Amino acid sequence: MTELKNIPLPPEGEKPEDGKSLLERAGNLLGGEGVPGAFRSAPVPRALAERPRKRGEERKRARAVLSPEAPATEDMTTAAAEMPAAPAAPIPPVRFTGPELRIDRERLRDQGLIVPGGPVTSLLEEFRIVKRELLNAARDPDPALPPQRAQFVLICSPHPGEGKTFCAINLALAMAAEKDSEVLLVDADFAKPSVLSLLGLPRGPGLMDALADPGIAVEDCVISTDIPGLHVLPAGNQTASDSEYLGSRRTSDVLMRLVQGTPDRIVIFDSPPALAASPAAELAKFVGQAVLVTRADSTGQSALEDALQLLSHCHDIKLLLNAVNFSPSGRRFGSYYGYSGE
C-alpha cells in the first residue's frame, strides 16, 4: 500500500496545479494504480441540469413511494374519482318450490269468478280496470317507501261478508294474464281461510307455518298452478297467536323472500276483515297499497272510517265498491260484449 508521506506536497504558498485537489494529483503520480478512476464525476443529464431542484425533493418523493400512509396527490385523487364503480352483484331470485297443482275451472265458474281462457265478461273488464290502477301505482311507487313494499297489495273489508275474498281472487286471476308480471295470492285470513277451497286446491302448509317455524322456507309452501303467472300461498295451520307472529321481526324477512330478485311479481294478501281481526292492521305495515272493499247499501260510514284508521300504516288506500247494481255514468260492459253483466 502506498504511504501518504511519499506524496510530495506543493511548495508553501503555491496553489495545486491546474486547481486539482490533492487526491487527484496523487492519482496522477501513482499512474492510476490502486486508485479507482471514480474521481471524475459522471456527466449530469441535461434535463436534470436545466431543472432547478428544490431542497429535500428526493426525500419527499421517496417517502411518497415507500410509505403506504403517504397522502394521495391531487392527480391520484382525481384518477381514483374517475374510475367507474364496480357494478353491484344481482340479487338471485327466490324460486317457488312447492307443489304444482291444477285450478278447478268448473268450480271458478260455479262461484261466479273469472275463468281464465274463457270469454270476456263484464266482470273481467271491471277487474281489468282495478288491476291497471294497482299496477300503475306499483310501477311508480312513492320514492320515500322501500321499492319492494310497492309489490305488496292488501285486500281487506270492514266487516265479514262484504266480498273481499271474491275481489282478491278475481284480481289475482286478472293480474295473472299480464305479459310482463306474475302474481302471488296469499291467503292471510288465518282464522277462516277460504282461498284454497274456492280455487279447488287441497290444504297444505302456508304462511303461518313459515312464520312460526324458522326451519320452514316460505318458498316451499307456495303452490304453482296450471294458470300461467298465478301462484298461491295457503294460510297454513291455525294458531291463536297469528297477530303476534305477524308482529315479530321474522315477518319482514319472510315476506321479502316472496319478492326477492323478482321486481315484476305482485303479492296480493286476502286478509281478515279489519274490524273483526287484528292481522289486517299488522299486514298494513308491510304493503304499499291497500284496497278496502265495501258493499253497496251495506257498509256504514262509521265502520268505513274505523277500518281506514286501522289501516293507516299504509299511505295508499283505495276504496272498492262491491255489489253495485247501477253506474252513475251509465256504463255497462255487458252490453258491449254481449253479456248482461251486473
Side-chain angles (χ1 to χ4, degrees):
M1 180 175 180
T2 305
E3 296 183 6
L4 294 178
K5 64 182 181 178
N6 294 328
I7 303 175
L9 297 175
E12 186 176 352
E14 183 180 345
K15 295 182 179 179
E17 59 180 0
D18 300 330
K20 294 182 180 179
S21 67
L22 183 60
L23 289 177
E24 290 174 326
R25 294 179 59 216
N28 293 336
L29 293 173
L30 296 174
E33 291 185 13
V35 180
F39 293 129
R40 297 194 183 119
S41 301
V44 179
R46 179 176 299 176
L48 294 178
E50 295 176 353
R51 176 179 177 267
R53 181 175 298 169
K54 296 181 181 179
R55 184 176 181 181
E57 182 179 355
E58 289 81 7
R59 292 196 298 271
K60 291 181 180 179
R61 290 167 56 187
R63 190 182 303 117
V65 173
L66 299 178
S67 176
E69 299 178 357
T73 63
E74 183 178 354
D75 293 341
M76 295 170 60
T77 305
T78 305
E82 293 177 353
M83 292 180 61
I91 300 176
V94 172
R95 301 299 181 187
F96 298 146
T97 54
E100 297 183 6
L101 302 175
R102 183 180 182 278
I103 299 292
D104 189 343
R105 267 67 165 183
E106 290 298 325
R107 189 165 184 80
L108 294 180
R109 188 175 290 106
D110 294 341
Q111 299 293 328
L113 299 168
I114 295 172
V115 181
V120 177
T121 63
S122 60
L123 180 67
L124 174 59
E125 279 300 314
E126 289 165 358
F127 277 98
R128 278 177 172 173
I129 294 177
V130 175
K131 78 167 181 180
R132 192 60 56 204
E133 293 293 325
L134 298 176
L135 288 174
N136 289 339
R139 291 165 181 168
D140 186 20
D142 185 347
L145 296 177
Q148 293 84 0
R149 187 167 175 175
Q151 299 177 242
F152 296 104
V153 180
L154 177 67
I155 309 297
C156 188
S157 64
H159 294 298
E162 293 175 315
K164 51 97 180 170
T165 301
F166 175 85
C167 293
I169 294 177
N170 280 322
L171 186 59
L173 291 170
M175 280 191 179
E178 290 291 308
K179 305 304 180 184
D180 299 325
S181 62
E182 59 180 357
V183 61
L184 170 62
L185 176 60
V186 180
D187 192 345
D189 193 343
F190 306 107
K192 295 182 179 180
S194 58
V195 170
L196 295 180
S197 62
L198 292 174
L199 296 177
L201 297 174
R203 296 186 60 180
L207 177 58
M208 188 51 61
D209 300 281
L211 294 178
D213 186 356
I216 297 178
V218 67
E219 58 267 26
D220 294 338
C221 303
V222 176
I223 299 173
S224 297
T225 73
D226 63 327
I227 298 176
L230 176 64
H231 308 275
V232 179
L233 177 59
N237 293 323
Q238 294 184 354
T239 174
S241 303
D242 50 7
S243 182
E244 286 72 21
Y245 282 122
L246 287 173
S248 66
R249 289 189 293 268
R250 176 171 167 76
T251 301
S252 177
D253 296 335
V254 171
L255 296 184
M256 286 301 107
R257 287 195 63 79
L258 298 177
V259 296
Q260 178 178 315
T262 52
D264 295 328
R265 180 180 295 160
I266 301 296
V267 180
I268 298 176
F269 295 96
D270 175 33
S271 81
L275 302 182
S278 56
E282 293 294 335
L283 287 170
K285 301 175 183 178
F286 301 98
V287 302
Q289 301 178 76
V291 178
L292 189 59
V293 179
T294 59
R295 192 171 185 86
D297 302 324
S298 175
T299 306
Q301 180 177 348
S302 60
L304 181 60
E305 292 174 351
D306 291 342
L308 289 172
Q309 182 63 33
L310 289 172
L311 302 179
S312 59
H313 286 288
C314 177
H315 300 288
D316 186 0
I317 302 177
K318 299 175 173 62
L319 299 180
L320 179 60
L321 191 59
N322 189 29
V324 179
N325 293 319
F326 69 96
S327 172
S329 64
R331 180 187 61 193
R332 295 180 64 86
F333 288 114
S335 61
Y336 180 83
Y337 286 104
Y339 295 89
S340 57
E342 298 180 358

